[in-house]
Amino acid sequence: MEQTFVMIKPDGVQRGLVGEIIGRFEKKGFTLKGLKLITVDRHFAEQHYADLSAKPFFNGLVEYIISGPVAAMVWEGKNVVTTGRKIIGATNPADSAPGTIRGDYAIDIGRNVIHGSDSVESGKKEIALWFPEGIAEWRSSLHSWIYE
Ligand code: IDP
Ligand code: MG
């Protein structure tokens, strides 16, 4: 089953949005396979965002991510990468539809509350980076109520 890496950024944790965000993924029917609150250092944040290292906002982005604890998660389910990105909304909250997480809870692109992997491949890389210890092995007993 497909997996994605989702991170509630420091602003989302500070603003008390962890429960709300987890609830949205849970209620959709996705399965929580990994979860931890962690403050990462500069080197780690630079690794996570390595693809963006040439961008003018890179340093500010790294400062933002290391500014406090983040809630790192692995979610599992059919099409969870693409559907997860839809639940999250567009990168710039100004372009995110109401009903999405960023559309409902964010205003500025540099304080957009949440990260979600953009492909199955980057999901695998990000899960390996953030959860080197591995993730939970379990299958929800709701499976047959969610999948036909
Ligand atoms: P994504 O998070 O929707 O996948 P990316 O393009 O991968 O968007 O950018 C990663 C993160 O970098 C964004 O979520 C946002 O926090 C930040 N970011 C992207 N573009 C800008 C910008 O123009 N100014 C400031 N921060 C930005
Ligand atoms: Mg991205």
Side-chain angles (χ1 to χ4, degrees):
M1 190 72 91
E2 189 171 301
Q3 295 179 336
T4 191
F5 173 69
V6 172
M7 168 187 42
I8 305 173
K9 295 174 178 178
D11 51 336
V13 173
Q14 290 285 349
R15 293 176 55 200
L17 296 173
V18 171
E20 169 68 28
I21 289 170
I22 288 177
R24 289 188 180 205
F25 281 84
E26 276 183 331
K27 282 179 265 189
K28 174 68 176 171
F30 292 134
T31 306
L32 184 61
K33 300 298 291 276
L35 171 66
K36 62 183 174 187
L37 197 69
I38 177 178
T39 306
V40 298
D41 64 19
R42 184 174 306 275
H43 175 69
F44 189 95
E46 286 172 355
Q47 267 182 280
H48 172 74
Y49 281 123
D51 291 352
L52 300 175
S53 60
K55 300 283 185 190
F57 57 83
F58 183 69
N59 282 336
L61 173 60
V62 169
E63 289 293 341
Y64 166 42
I65 295 306
I66 68 175
S67 65
V70 300
M73 296 177 274
V74 177
W75 286 94
E76 185 176 275
K78 190 194 270 183
N79 291 323
V80 69
V81 169
T82 300
T83 305
R85 296 271 295 187
K86 287 181 185 164
I87 291 170
I88 288 169
T91 303
N92 189 341
D95 301 325
S96 302
T100 66
I101 291 166
R102 288 168 174 165
D104 286 348
Y105 300 121
I107 294 175
D108 270 354
I109 192 168
R111 295 290 183 272
N112 63 358
V113 169
I114 184 167
H115 164 86
S117 306
D118 62 10
S119 68
V120 173
E121 268 324 292
S122 50
K124 283 181 185 157
K125 265 171 45 185
E126 291 170 1
I127 291 166
L129 176 67
W130 286 82
F131 288 90
E133 69 275 27
I135 56 170
E137 288 283 344
W138 72 293
R139 180 185 159 102
S140 167
S141 59
L142 294 179
H143 198 274
S144 62
W145 295 108
I146 291 167
Y147 297 100
E148 64 180 19

